[in-house]
Amino acid sequence: MGSRGKRLLPLLTLGLLLFTSCISEEVNLSLDRDGSGVCGITYTIPRALIETETMEEPPDFEHPDPLLPVPLSREAIEQDLEEHPGLTLRSYNAEETDEHIIVRMELGFSSVEALDAWLARGGQGVRREGNSLIITLYTPEEAEFDEDTRAFIEAFFGEYTVSWQVRVPARLSSWEPGEQVDARTARLVLTVSDIVQNKAPTTWKVSW
């Protein structure tokens, strides 16, 4: 591999990792007593990441795109959900700005297991243990970042975050880390740069 290829390799690896974390992600999950619920997700993706020489052309969000680990177009999501029983697409909206592509969707789920199976492709997950939800915000790939790549992460993605807000069926008993929003709702916000550089899975436990 030439010197140019060597320089690109850490960025290609980084790109895959950051696609896995979906750049800025805001999740709003509401769980009912029977294990069903609603999960709203907003992805904010910088154009500067996807419009690179790693792709022949920018992804077309009107059609399924195999380069993205989590489907983002309405058509791709609807096709994908056909293979994931227990999930329904309740609403969808996408917009493009000069700097970002923003996708908002709301999924209904019949069980925590159904939602977990769908999230798993993106290195995330949620499982129920009694009166607790264990949320995996990010599962790291096997990659080592040198100082230049770490500096790139901080500079390019320092302002991007992963945010989870969870509303549980009864009064909260614990939610550390994070903050309490109301008696039944907790929120955790982490920067993408911190999550990606964590060598262990990033998890959060919310109990009631």
Side-chain angles (χ1 to χ4, degrees):
M1 180 182 295
S3 59
R4 180 173 177 273
K6 290 180 180 179
R7 290 195 303 270
L8 278 176
L9 183 57
L11 295 182
L12 295 178
T13 302
L14 177 62
L16 292 174
L17 289 170
L18 292 172
F19 264 130
T20 301
S21 65
C22 295
I23 312 306
S24 268
E25 176 191 59
E26 182 179 345
V27 180
N28 195 329
L29 189 156
S30 179
L31 180 70
D32 295 329
R33 291 185 180 274
D34 64 359
S36 65
V38 176
C39 184
I41 307 175
T42 299
Y43 298 125
T44 302
I45 305 169
R47 285 187 171 277
L49 178 64
I50 61 176
E51 294 176 354
T52 68
E53 56 187 310
T54 64
M55 300 180 184
E56 293 183 359
E57 58 185 31
D60 181 353
F61 283 81
E62 293 300 317
H63 302 283
D65 195 312
L67 292 173
L68 300 176
V70 176
L72 294 180
S73 72
R74 176 186 284 275
E75 182 181 356
I77 293 169
E78 290 175 342
Q79 291 180 1
D80 187 62
L81 292 182
E82 292 178 0
E83 302 177 6
H84 288 81
L87 296 178
T88 57
L89 182 62
R90 294 164 57 104
S91 65
Y92 175 91
N93 175 264
E95 63 177 289
E96 300 186 31
T97 69
D98 291 341
E99 297 182 350
H100 297 97
I101 294 174
I102 303 169
V103 176
R104 299 179 180 88
M105 68 183 79
E106 185 175 83
L107 301 176
F109 57 91
S110 61
S111 68
V112 171
E113 292 77 13
L115 180 61
D116 178 68
W118 191 80
L119 292 171
R121 282 102 29 88
Q124 296 185 319
V126 57
R127 71 180 190 275
R128 183 172 178 175
E129 294 183 357
N131 288 341
S132 297
L133 280 181
I134 313 297
I135 298 160
T136 300
L137 287 85
Y138 175 71
T139 301
E141 301 285 344
E142 294 182 3
E144 294 290 337
F145 299 129
D146 58 26
E147 290 304 315
D148 289 342
T149 305
R150 290 182 184 277
F152 175 81
I153 293 173
E154 294 292 342
F156 194 90
F157 302 103
E159 297 182 359
Y160 292 95
T161 61
V162 173
S163 169
W164 275 70
Q165 181 165 295
V166 175
R167 183 170 179 81
V168 295
R171 180 176 293 272
L172 289 164
S173 61
S174 64
W175 57 89
E176 296 296 334
E179 62 179 340
Q180 185 176 13
V181 177
D182 58 39
R184 292 171 51 195
T185 308
R187 179 191 298 123
L188 178 65
V189 181
L190 298 172
T191 66
V192 167
S193 60
D194 286 343
I195 292 175
V196 169
Q197 295 181 75
N198 188 358
K199 294 183 179 180
T202 303
T203 60
W204 184 38
K205 184 176 182 178
V206 180
S207 302
W208 62 93

